[in-house]
Amino acid sequence: MALNTSAEAPVPVGEISRLIGGWIDRLGAVWVEGQITQLSRRPGAGVVFLTLRDPSYDISIGVTCFRQVFDAVADVVGEGARVVVHAKPEWYAPRGQLSLRAVEIRPVGVGELLARLEMLKKALAAEGLFAAGRKKPLPFLPQLVGLVCGRASAAERDVLENARHRWPAVRFEVRNVPVQGVHAVPQVVQAVKELDAIEEVDVIIVARGGGSVEDLLPFSDEQLVRAVAECRTPVVSAIGHEPDNPLLDYVADLRASTPTDAAKKVVPDVGEEAERVRMLRDRGRRCVEALVAREERGLANALARPAMEDPHRMVDERADHVASLVDRSRRTVGHLLDRADSELTHTHARVVALSPAATLKRGYAVLQKGDGHVVRDGAEVEPGEALRARVAEGEFTVRVDG
């Protein structure tokens, strides 16, 4: 229950310590997992002191146990080992310290570690952290490479020397951190986040040499995996050797089998690129030369054609043909005109022969009454009636006599 206190009615330190101890006593025994960071076994002492640390969250707690409890696992447990402790929380009131009183210590075996890693791997994969669609492509030529590795380590030397041998102008932003032990995870996570925050860093390499399963555990830590998954900068995992597969390999944008392989995959080889440029230049030259040669052959073939050698020949041939057609047309039109003229002459002769004027020219006359009516019958006229006689060359008046 909450205490009723005030500045006028404070609670003494001893009372607070006593109350905290009472609350902790009610917790009961618990199973705790962690990594041993400090171990104190004084000769002749009946109590062993050790510090148990959570490498993922950088939290430690003191543990005490009787010598016989620790002696049962002393041959397989030491500093850096992962253990599971069955202990009861205790509060040491005089100093205000919390510790665990262990009654049993069990080492965490490799098989158990691998089983836990497999379960964590499946859980993270189910979240999609290992999905191929999340992988970011590496830049062709990074200007600044971030490197997270151990100080003066072989991994650092391999990456720097191989990268600068391949591309001398490449620059590195190096973060030296512990790569195993209880301090590895938080410092590696911090280094990755620092490099990811630098705009000029194009790619980040996390490198470490080979080691045992326990040595490589920091690179399978969930906190590190999630930190890498959140990076905006492409991350390359170069942990251990070819058979080693920490969870960092699955979440990274690219996995390199070794630190040397990471340098080869991140930085192009200047000699290879120069050779590639030369080959492409030669290939381009050959393509252009082949194109020009093909066009020259086509032009030569075109110029060799008769029409191109003597362009006027085709015009002359066509001119003769046109002249022949013109002559033929003229002859045809002349024949048609001659035939039409002959037909017209014959028709005119027939018309003239059949016309009244021709009849009159033969001595005939046409008698017309005063109203212009042609006299065809003698009964149509009366004695003394004046008629008009029309002959071939004029007309005159006649009168009927009897």
Side-chain angles (χ1 to χ4, degrees), residues 231-255:
C231 287
R232 63 165 184 83
T233 309
V235 178
V236 177
S237 174
I239 306 302
H241 302 298
E242 182 67 35
D244 299 323
N245 289 108
L247 297 186
L248 180 62
D249 286 351
Y250 298 97
V251 73
D253 299 291
L254 179 68
R255 176 188 181 267

Side-chain angles (χ1 to χ4, degrees), residues 18-306:
R18 186 186 65 79
L19 292 173
I20 293 175
W23 292 331
I24 291 175
D25 285 339
R26 289 196 293 269
L27 289 177
V30 293
W31 286 97
V32 182
E33 180 186 358
Q35 188 174 19
I36 298 176
T37 58
Q38 293 181 354
L39 179 60
S40 177
R41 299 176 63 190
R42 296 177 181 176
V47 178
V48 176
F49 297 89
L50 54 93
T51 300
L52 203 60
R53 186 183 186 90
D54 186 340
S56 298
Y57 297 97
D58 197 16
I59 297 175
S60 302
I61 189 170
V63 179
T64 61
C65 64
F66 292 113
R67 175 175 287 275
Q68 57 268 27
V69 173
F70 187 81
D71 287 345
V73 294
D75 294 337
V76 293
V77 169
E79 289 189 2
R82 282 182 174 261
V83 295
V84 175
V85 176
H86 190 211
K88 180 160 186 331
E90 289 184 347
W91 179 257
Y92 186 59
R95 294 186 181 177
Q97 292 181 346
L98 175 66
S99 63
L100 299 176
R101 171 69 69 170
V103 296
E104 183 180 358
I105 300 176
R106 297 181 184 179
V108 178
V110 175
E112 187 175 357
L113 287 175
L114 293 177
R116 292 182 185 179
L117 290 180
E118 187 63 26
M119 293 177 59
L120 178 60
K121 175 183 175 182
K122 291 180 179 179
L124 296 176
E127 295 183 26
L129 297 185
F130 303 157
R134 300 184 69 258
K135 308 294 185 183
K136 295 178 285 295
L138 269 62
F140 166 71
L141 180 58
Q143 300 300 312
L144 183 62
V145 179
L147 176 60
V148 180
C149 59
R151 184 180 302 276
S153 62
E156 178 181 9
R157 184 178 63 256
D158 290 345
V159 172
L160 296 180
E161 290 183 358
N162 282 279
R164 287 167 178 163
H165 176 73
R166 292 172 62 83
W167 198 274
V170 67
R171 296 182 296 118
F172 279 90
E173 185 72 22
V174 181
R175 293 292 185 274
N176 293 123
V177 296
V179 291
Q180 68 182 57
V182 293
H183 301 288
V185 173
Q187 294 197 31
V188 171
V189 171
Q190 181 182 357
V192 169
K193 290 182 178 180
E194 287 179 1
L195 293 174
D196 185 52
I198 301 175
E199 293 291 336
E200 292 78 10
V201 173
D202 298 319
V203 62
I204 299 172
I205 300 175
V206 181
R208 186 203 190 281
S212 63
V213 175
E214 293 86 348
D215 293 338
L216 300 182
L217 279 179
F219 300 96
S220 293
D221 188 88
E222 181 178 359
Q223 185 182 359
L224 176 59
V225 171
R226 294 189 181 278
V228 171
E230 295 173 357
C231 287
R232 63 165 184 83
T233 309
V235 178
V236 177
S237 174
I239 306 302
H241 302 298
E242 182 67 35
D244 299 323
N245 289 108
L247 297 186
L248 180 62
D249 286 351
Y250 298 97
V251 73
D253 299 291
L254 179 68
R255 176 188 181 267
S257 58
T258 62
T260 300
D261 184 50
K264 294 180 179 180
K265 290 184 176 179
V266 169
V267 180
D269 184 88
V270 63
E272 293 178 358
E273 296 305 319
E275 179 64 18
R276 185 177 291 109
V277 170
R278 186 191 64 78
M279 293 176 59
L280 291 175
R281 184 176 60 228
D282 292 344
R283 181 180 176 185
R285 182 184 295 109
R286 290 194 299 271
C287 290
V288 172
E289 290 175 350
L291 176 62
V292 172
R294 184 172 66 249
E295 295 302 322
E296 287 179 345
R297 289 194 299 271
L299 180 60
N301 293 334
L303 293 176
R305 294 178 180 176

